[in-house]
Amino acid sequence: MSEIFEIRAEQISEKIYDLVLEASFYLPEGLRKLIEEARDREVMPLARSAFDDILVNAGMAAERGQPICQDCGLAVVFLEVGQQVLITGGALDKAVNEGVRRAYRDGYLRKSVVADPLFDRKNTGDNTPAIVHTKIVPGRDIKISVTPKGTGSENMSRIFMLKPSDGADGVMNAVVETVKLAGSNPCPPIVLGVGIGGNLEEVALASKKALLRHEGERHPVAAYAEMEREILRRVNALGIGPGGYGGLTTALEVYVETLPTHIGALPVAVNICCHALRHAEGTVEGVLLKGRCNDGA
């Protein structure tokens, strides 16, 4: 006998609404601290000034309830849906998009989604549909992570299908090459999400999920944690700096996510995000639905 927990579609919409606005208006505190630390150790006056501008902008956005960046992004939503949850009152995807629609309307966020990617690039007018990734997990709640991702940094991201013999140096060289080619285009200082393993589509998703890591959180495997630190060192040695003006800090953090893969493969994805790494997370709790159960019959 399994208990069933009800979550109404409207509750999901409301939570998505709140998280989109939170992510759009408020720089995560841990990220703000990284920016402040980078500013304090900077020796180039122009680079230090760029950091000051970033912090002033973030403060004004939070104070006024306005977007941190004029590119309010494509809404990317990660859902972990408990397998004991019953969603009532509407479909899950419609509930997510309704929350996104309301948030972009009420928050005066720029709508940037076109329905057809090539021939008829007509704006949908409400920044939907969102990109939604859903995973079924044990539990009775729905955990939601929202990350509005701007295209300036997204366009600089890359995928490499390396050979296993390329090894750790091959992976790190691919990441550094990506940043070097990107230059000032992704609005540095940047945060790097690196996916290693899986296959073509899964490694790209891993690199995006890596950007949801809490600031300063290292990979649990020591060798990969050291790789994160070494990539950060090599990237910052490029000297691109904040705004591309030069300086000590091109990247604030590097996060690596790893996946099992084929014996003949070494996929690597590099997902670049600008300093405005917008993300927010929350949970919608299920309510026990009395009189309903799944007995496997």
Side-chain angles (χ1 to χ4, degrees), residues 146-214:
V146 171
T147 175
K149 186 67 157 55
T151 196
S153 57
E154 189 78 351
N155 283 351
M156 297 295 104
S157 302
R158 300 178 72 191
I159 292 179
F160 301 83
M161 302 304 289
L162 301 181
K163 302 183 296 295
S165 59
D166 290 325
D169 274 338
V171 173
M172 291 190 286
N173 289 339
V175 180
V176 176
E177 176 190 340
T178 299
V179 177
K180 185 176 181 179
L181 291 174
S184 63
N185 289 309
C187 300
I190 57 176
V191 180
L192 292 168
V194 181
I196 306 174
N199 62 358
L200 179 68
E201 74 271 14
E202 197 174 26
V203 74
L205 183 58
S207 69
K208 181 63 63 69
K209 290 176 69 176
L211 292 173
L212 298 177
R213 188 100 57 85
H214 292 292

Side-chain angles (χ1 to χ4, degrees), residues 28-89:
E29 190 56 38
L31 191 62
R32 177 191 290 274
K33 184 177 179 181
L34 290 176
I35 294 170
E36 290 173 343
E37 291 172 350
R39 177 200 58 190
D40 291 345
R41 65 174 173 265
E42 186 54 67
V43 295
M44 285 184 58
L46 187 57
R48 190 179 180 91
S49 176
F51 279 122
D52 286 335
D53 289 342
I54 288 170
L55 292 167
V56 168
N57 177 78
M60 291 174 65
E63 182 181 344
R64 299 178 181 182
Q66 294 177 340
I68 294 172
C69 177
Q70 54 84 25
D71 183 351
C72 298
L74 182 60
V76 181
V77 179
F78 290 90
L79 302 172
E80 292 187 4
V81 182
Q83 61 186 15
Q84 292 175 256
V85 170
L86 174 66
I87 298 170
T88 61

Side-chain angles (χ1 to χ4, degrees), residues 6 31 77-78 94 116 128 135-136 143 148 168 179 198 266 283:
E6 180 184 24
L31 191 62
V77 179
F78 290 90
K94 290 184 178 179
D116 185 290
T128 69
K135 183 178 181 181
I136 305 300
K143 295 181 180 178
V179 177
L266 182 58
T283 300

Side-chain angles (χ1 to χ4, degrees), residues 9-10 12-14 16 87 90-100:
E10 178 59 25
I12 299 170
S13 297
E14 290 172 356
I16 293 287
I87 298 170
L92 177 59
D93 62 333
K94 290 184 178 179
V96 170
N97 282 307
E98 180 60 22
V100 170

